Amino acid sequence: MAQAVAIVGTGQTECGRRTDVSYPELVYEAVSRAFDDAGLVPDDIEAVVAGSMPPAMEGVNNPHLYWADAMGAGGKPLIRTATCGSTGISLAHTGFYHVASGMFDLVLVVGAEKMYEGDPQGTMATVADPFFQRPFLAGAPGIFSLQSNEWAHRYGIEEKRVRMAAAQLSVRNHDDALLNPYAHIRIKITVDDVLNSRIIAYPVRLLDVCPASDGACAVIMASERMAKKLGRPTAWIKGVGYCGEQAFFSEGDKVVWQSAINAAKSAYSQAGITNPRKDLDLAEVYNPFTFQEMLFYECFGFCDFGHGCDLVEQGVVMRGGDLPCDPSGGTLCTNPIGATGLQRVSEVVLHVTEKAGDRQIPGAKTGLAHAMGGLDQFNGIMIISSVL
Amino acid sequence: MTQRVAIVDFVQTKHGEALEENVRELTFGVVRKLLDRVDMDRSEIGTMISSSADYWQGTSCSNSYYYDAAGGNLKSGSKVTEDSVFALIYGMMRILSGHHRTALVVGVTKCSECPSENTLTNLAADPFFHRPVGLNTVVAEALQARMYLDQYGPSEEQIARVVVKNMSNAERNPYSHRGGKFSIGEILSSSMMAAPLRCMDVPSTSDGACALLLADEHTARQLTDKPVFIHGIGWSVDHTYIGDRDLLNGALPKAAEMAYSRAGVKNPSKEIDVVELSDVTSFHEIMWMEQLGLCDAGNGFRLVEQGVTALDGRLPVNPSGGLFGANPFVARGLIRVGEACLQLRGEAGDHQVPRVNKALAHSVHGLGGQSHSVVILGN
């Protein structure tokens, strides 16, 4: 039986073009904030989990070893987890299992990326296999645009309607990012701005796409015994789910998307969630592309398949709605990839412990954190609640 | 730990300089063979944890390329990177949590398809201070070797015996990439690479893959008559900058202490019957032995000279040939675990050591051994 796992501290850096700090200094900023938040010092930590995107992103091989001192990890067990875009949630899962296994009582989990150091699209172009997919599927926008078109086509959703819903999501994210002191893109935009922004890969326009960011995030996890001893504001991990699929994009159904569906199902079943729309108070859905977010609503059971747009049109997923999504401004406005999934976790923790400041969803008790990665291939979920 | 986790079985490729199969085919091959050996359908696998590294594969998000081929399609899984023993550790944690009964653990590296070890490990040096002066794994290891020489004064001949032993052991191992009978003279006449390391003191890289199946005790006993139990596991990291570290006493004693304490090992040199360690150079086999507490500091080369660590010695070290036999950079640590497992099961063939009840496997990565993992196995 898994030991209960708590989150007792989080730390995030301001994200953006962080030329004021080196890569380890960026990590240090997040880690020291997590320690301050938890009222702990590095000596208290028993094990460390760290990760990021491919090291080519920053040009430093073994980034976890480069960060060792910045994390206070010297002399401690340190593992590096890396699963592409889903790295952040995979890090959270790795930390969870460090404690759930009964092996450790207090674990530091760190994700970071400094994307202005290198060439993010150049790095991501080499995710696709060199022979079949790379020549025409290189980089992130290509696959996500294909997926969005396939989704709209499958359900016969009118082009104009999808376009408008996605634009509304972009406006929602940008508005919410203004409330988040850590967010990268902090601009006020209108639906017209989105519709008039330049095309990146049809139907995706510039304001439908996330930025590349520098940023780091750290989370401190504890066993039930330790969390109670610390007596600080605590969030509890109620369920984890992860699923990976085929390496070749064309071999899987990316609309009724099995990896997303399975990840949510297993997390829900551990957390005892039967009706996510009702049982969840917020969701931090990994949304580097506006269109894709609506597809996730369907795979996560927030609505029936083919009805993702409805939730936007009805305001369900907006701040003040039934199930607010990405009240942080989401991945769309901030994407230091190795940290992004962990930021989703941190944000849910802040809401359920009522520490989210201006962006707080009032009364939020249970939330979902999500990240996606690979060639539209990996999905990971964590359900976090204020109650054990 | 209340529950025990066992290794059900282990499969590795015949490692080589440049294998014909691509990374997908290599992982598929070892996983398929493993499932056939334990007579298990892929649907019965709980989770798949792999280990590979992006720079060492020449693709970003390296597990994206082989996730399905390695048996993970539509399963929960993850990738822990740089040291494949981390995959064993993470798989074990997932079983201990009770979420999964079995975990497939896979490691793969094709060094033939990426830039040289020196290029890739130079990228592991910090970009501002260490990279410009050319620090890489061999340079860092040479600094350590020099310190060891200065401190304890072994002769070149005494160190070269490690290579003679491991290459000769490797010749008996059907999965090794290389092996053979070499004289001390041949080793000492090989050209200088980074003083005091000669070309033959440093095993070059290989292509290879391996897979092992972990299970909780109950499940393991249903799947095999010869489960190998993980008695203890330990891992530790040292400081970022090589100048901030004690290069003769780093993270390894801490990793070993954690593993021994979890395994209840009090006197490792007496209790351990066989050792599979990551001999990144001839010197390092000796240094790691000492830092693992298998002998006193400065005494390791004497044990080698006395034949204590030989195949028929009191404490055989690297009967498989170690990294001198095959060095697929990321997968090599998990191969050490697998070889220790074969020894415990009595399945090591020509390189089998008699009477093995407890075995130690060791893995290392990072410049000058910045990170180490230690696994204690028993039957």
Side-chain angles (χ1 to χ4, degrees):
Chain A
M1 191 52 203
Q3 311 276 324
V5 183
I7 296 178
V8 295
T10 67
Q12 299 184 47
T13 65
E14 284 77 20
C15 299
R17 189 180 186 125
R18 294 294 308 273
T19 47
D20 57 321
V21 286
S22 72
Y23 198 15
E25 284 167 344
L26 185 70
V27 167
Y28 175 80
E29 193 173 303
V31 169
S32 52
R33 286 176 180 179
F35 280 122
D36 289 346
D37 186 39
L40 294 168
V41 295
D43 278 351
D44 297 324
I45 296 295
E46 295 170 347
V48 184
V49 178
S52 60
M53 275 295 270
M57 196 70 88
E58 289 83 11
V60 178
N61 205 345
N62 298 339
H64 59 309
L65 301 182
Y66 185 40
W67 309 346
D69 286 349
M71 302 186 295
K76 297 182 197 299
L78 167 66
I79 278 183
R80 175 164 187 254
T81 299
T83 62
C84 216
S86 61
T87 292
I89 202 83
S90 288
L91 286 166
H93 288 179
T94 311
F96 168 84
Y97 282 108
H98 272 62
V99 179
S101 63
M103 288 182 78
F104 299 100
D105 286 317
L106 215 40
V107 175
L108 172 68
V109 182
V110 185
E113 211 71 66
K114 210 159 185 304
M115 297 173 73
Y116 282 97
E117 297 282 335
D119 175 0
Q121 286 307 320
T123 303
M124 282 187 272
T126 59
V127 176
D129 86 274
F131 309 111
F132 304 107
Q133 304 192 105
R134 198 176 296 175
F136 63 95
L137 260 185
I143 44 172
F144 300 128
S145 301
L146 273 175
Q147 185 182 25
S148 303
N149 285 332
E150 192 185 350
W151 168 68
H153 178 76
R154 177 87 57 93
Y155 299 117
I157 313 171
E158 212 187 317
E159 187 183 337
K160 209 172 142 192
R161 189 179 164 213
V162 175
R163 181 56 274 180
M164 187 53 80
Q168 286 173 315
L169 279 183
S170 177
V171 172
R172 180 207 67 187
N173 277 275
H174 284 85
D175 281 350
D176 282 337
L178 289 170
L179 302 174
N180 180 357
Y182 307 116
H184 178 180
I185 304 296
R186 295 158 62 84
I187 48 170
K188 180 74 189 160
I189 60 159
T190 64
V191 164
D192 279 345
D193 292 336
V194 183
L195 300 181
N196 293 327
S197 61
R198 73 183 163 90
I199 280 276
I200 301 297
Y202 180 83
V204 171
R205 289 174 183 272
L206 184 64
L207 288 172
D208 291 309
V209 191
C210 63
S213 315
D214 295 347
C217 182
V219 162
I220 298 175
M221 294 185 183
S223 63
E224 183 179 353
R225 186 175 42 147
M226 182 60 75
K228 291 194 165 153
K229 196 174 130 193
L230 294 172
R232 314 268 304 188
T234 298
W236 298 93
I237 299 171
K238 304 295 285 182
V240 295
Y242 191 94
C243 188
E245 58 191 32
Q246 296 97 334
F248 292 99
F249 182 80
S250 58
E251 287 180 352
D253 183 343
K254 304 297 180 193
V255 176
V256 180
W257 195 6
Q258 281 309 315
S259 63
I261 294 167
N262 289 1
K265 265 191 187 160
S266 52
Y268 291 159
S269 115
Q270 288 166 25
I273 287 175
T274 48
N275 181 351
R277 169 80 179 273
K278 201 167 131 285
D279 298 340
L280 295 173
D281 301 314
L282 81 148
E284 279 283 340
V285 176
Y286 189 89
N287 61 346
F289 293 80
T290 49
F291 292 89
Q292 204 188 20
E293 183 177 331
M294 295 182 272
L295 193 150
F296 283 125
Y297 297 159
E298 301 173 8
C299 295
F300 297 164
F302 298 174
C303 62
D304 289 337
F305 284 96
H307 290 272
C309 287
D310 302 5
L311 298 189
V312 180
E313 291 159 355
Q314 295 160 8
V316 173
V317 292
M318 306 305 196
R319 185 175 287 280
D322 224 17
L323 177 51
C325 289
D326 297 301
S328 62
T331 308
L332 191 70
C333 292
T334 312
N335 194 15
I337 306 181
T340 304
L342 205 55
Q343 287 173 329
R344 308 277 71 71
V345 170
S346 292
E347 285 292 321
V348 174
V349 169
L350 292 177
H351 284 283
V352 303
T353 53
E354 294 183 45
K355 295 202 286 196
D358 290 346
R359 59 195 188 285
Q360 178 72 44
I361 300 297
K365 296 264 180 293
T366 302
L368 173 149
H370 162 244
M372 172 266 309
L375 268 181
D376 240 4
Q377 194 180 359
F378 303 135
N379 277 284
I381 300 273
M382 182 170 267
I383 306 293
I384 297 160
S385 176
S386 59
V387 282
L388 175 58
Chain B
M1 279 174 255
T2 46
Q3 203 190 1
R4 298 209 294 169
V5 176
I7 298 169
V8 175
D9 208 348
F10 167 76
V11 166
Q12 60 187 319
T13 51
K14 160 103 178 85
H15 315 302
E17 181 77 34
L19 297 180
E20 272 184 23
E21 297 90 341
N22 66 28
V23 167
R24 285 176 64 76
E25 290 163 338
L26 287 178
T27 54
F28 178 81
V30 286
V31 169
R32 181 70 265 161
K33 194 170 161 193
L34 179 66
L35 293 178
D36 287 345
R37 276 177 61 109
V38 293
D39 193 22
M40 215 174 164
D41 190 80
R42 199 182 69 84
S43 63
E44 297 169 76
I45 297 293
T47 181
M48 189 279 286
I49 309 288
S50 71
S51 192
S52 54
D54 302 347
Y55 269 136
W56 292 98
Q57 193 170 303
T59 55
S60 289
C61 306
S62 51
N63 68 330
S64 166
Y65 182 47
Y66 61 73
Y67 195 90
D68 49 350
N73 194 33
L74 296 182
K75 289 190 185 297
S76 175
S78 197
K79 179 189 79 180
V80 282
T81 174
E82 319 302 341
D83 176 356
S84 51
V85 168
F86 290 166
L88 178 91
I89 296 171
Y90 191 16
M92 184 180 93
M93 285 176 181
R94 285 190 167 212
I95 291 172
L96 288 174
S97 76
H99 282 186
H100 303 285
R101 301 175 72 86
T102 56
L104 193 55
V105 180
V106 182
V108 63
T109 321
K110 277 201 89 178
C111 292
S112 65
E113 291 185 359
C114 45
S116 78
E117 183 183 16
N118 285 344
T119 303
L120 291 182
T121 57
N122 180 233
L123 288 173
D126 101 275
F128 308 109
F129 304 107
H130 290 159
R131 203 178 293 180
V133 297
L135 189 68
N136 60 37
T137 191
V138 174
V139 172
E141 286 152 6
L143 290 170
Q144 269 176 318
R146 172 60 69 194
M147 285 179 76
Y148 186 86
L149 268 180
D150 289 349
Q151 182 100 19
Y152 300 111
S155 68
E156 278 195 304
E157 287 78 9
Q158 283 170 316
I159 299 292
R161 285 180 192 276
V162 171
V163 186
V164 175
K165 168 183 73 78
N166 288 0
M167 289 300 266
S168 152
N169 289 352
E171 198 179 19
R172 295 163 167 262
N173 178 355
Y175 299 101
S176 63
H177 159 194
R178 60 204 152 214
K181 298 275 181 287
F182 290 90
S183 70
I184 288 178
E186 281 174 287
I187 292 149
L188 297 186
S189 61
S190 69
S191 58
M192 195 57 88
M193 189 184 248
L197 300 173
R198 295 177 182 277
C199 284
M200 284 198 70
D201 285 314
V202 185
S204 65
T205 56
S206 315
D207 287 1
C210 64
L212 59 78
L213 182 67
L214 291 178
D216 63 50
E217 180 167 9
H218 177 75
T219 309
R221 290 203 190 277
Q222 288 175 329
L223 292 168
T224 177
D225 297 333
K226 292 193 274 189
V228 168
F229 290 96
I230 301 174
H231 287 188
I233 210 151
W235 64 109
S236 187
V237 71
D238 210 336
H239 296 289
T240 301
Y241 292 97
I242 204 162
D244 291 343
R245 290 154 46 189
D246 179 348
L247 290 180
L248 293 183
N249 183 21
L252 181 52
K254 291 197 179 71
E257 188 189 313
M258 179 176 166
Y260 293 150
S261 115
R262 286 177 187 262
V265 170
K266 299 208 165 38
N267 189 341
S269 67
K270 292 219 161 54
E271 293 175 56
I272 307 283
D273 301 309
V274 66
V275 176
E276 278 286 339
L277 58 74
S278 291
D279 45 339
V280 292
T281 77
S282 51
F283 281 80
H284 284 75
E285 174 163 311
I286 292 164
M287 283 188 257
W288 300 158
M289 275 165 54
E290 296 174 5
Q291 291 175 31
L292 282 163
L294 297 169
C295 62
D296 292 337
N299 206 33
F301 59 91
R302 295 195 180 91
L303 297 195
V304 177
E305 191 171 32
Q306 292 156 11
V308 173
T309 60
L311 202 54
D312 56 357
R314 179 176 57 76
L315 180 59
V317 175
N318 285 329
S320 68
L323 306 191
F324 281 94
N327 184 14
F329 207 84
V330 180
R332 66 193 188 188
L334 201 56
I335 294 169
R336 305 277 70 69
V337 175
E339 282 290 339
C341 196
L342 295 179
Q343 292 288 347
L344 283 156
R345 290 160 68 105
E347 292 175 353
D350 284 348
H351 63 288
Q352 179 69 46
V353 167
R355 295 177 304 281
V356 180
N357 290 312
K358 202 163 274 188
L360 183 152
H362 158 261
S363 181
V364 65
H365 77 290
L367 298 172
Q370 196 184 340
S371 172
H372 291 267
S373 341
V374 177
V375 185
I376 310 295
L377 300 167
N379 46 19

